[in-house]
Amino acid sequence: MFKKIVDPADCEVRSVIRFLKAKKVKLAEIHFQLVEIYGENVMTDGMVRKWVRQFNDGHTNVHDEARSGRPSVVNDGLVAKKIRGNRWFTIRVLFDEFPQISKVVLHEIVANRLNYRKLCSR
């Protein structure tokens, strides 16, 4: 049995698809091998078909192309810096600091990514 690779980069998986397609491996076999190495949640069969089709059409770039849209202004480090500056913070105070981000997203950053928990003492 092979060792599973956890959390691969998207471009890595696409490179494997491009490599196997160049070796003329069948589409179903490509998907089977991806699932065998990267696990069940790596990529759906439909996405493998999409990428094989793009490579057949001459697309060679395995990296994500730039998309239009508004880039995120706030990252985890910036939120952590604000929290360290005010230890008595609330999500409402953070929302006042970063009005462009919803309270739900701020709560997800604080609770899940930065692992801060509610602490009450008397």
Side-chain angles (χ1 to χ4, degrees), residues 25-62:
V25 176
K26 293 181 181 180
L27 194 117
E29 181 63 25
I30 291 173
H31 184 255
F32 176 76
Q33 288 185 24
L34 288 174
V35 170
E36 186 177 40
I37 296 297
Y38 295 111
E40 291 292 325
N41 297 326
V42 64
M43 188 180 283
T44 63
D45 186 43
M47 288 301 292
V48 173
R49 289 180 193 278
K50 175 190 159 213
W51 280 101
V52 168
R53 192 175 329 117
Q54 284 187 1
F55 292 138
N56 285 337
D57 293 341
H59 186 87
T60 58
N61 190 6
V62 294

Side-chain angles (χ1 to χ4, degrees), residues 50-100:
K50 175 190 159 213
W51 280 101
V52 168
R53 192 175 329 117
Q54 284 187 1
F55 292 138
N56 285 337
D57 293 341
H59 186 87
T60 58
N61 190 6
V62 294
H63 298 285
D64 288 327
E65 294 179 7
R67 292 182 259 176
S68 64
R70 186 171 168 186
S72 178
V73 179
V74 178
N75 58 21
D76 297 351
L78 191 57
V79 174
K81 187 176 180 181
K82 286 289 182 186
I83 291 171
R84 284 191 300 268
N86 177 13
R87 295 194 57 198
W88 304 105
F89 76 94
T90 62
I91 298 298
R92 178 70 184 151
V93 170
L94 288 176
F95 180 69
D96 292 341
E97 292 283 334
F98 306 109
Q100 67 273 22

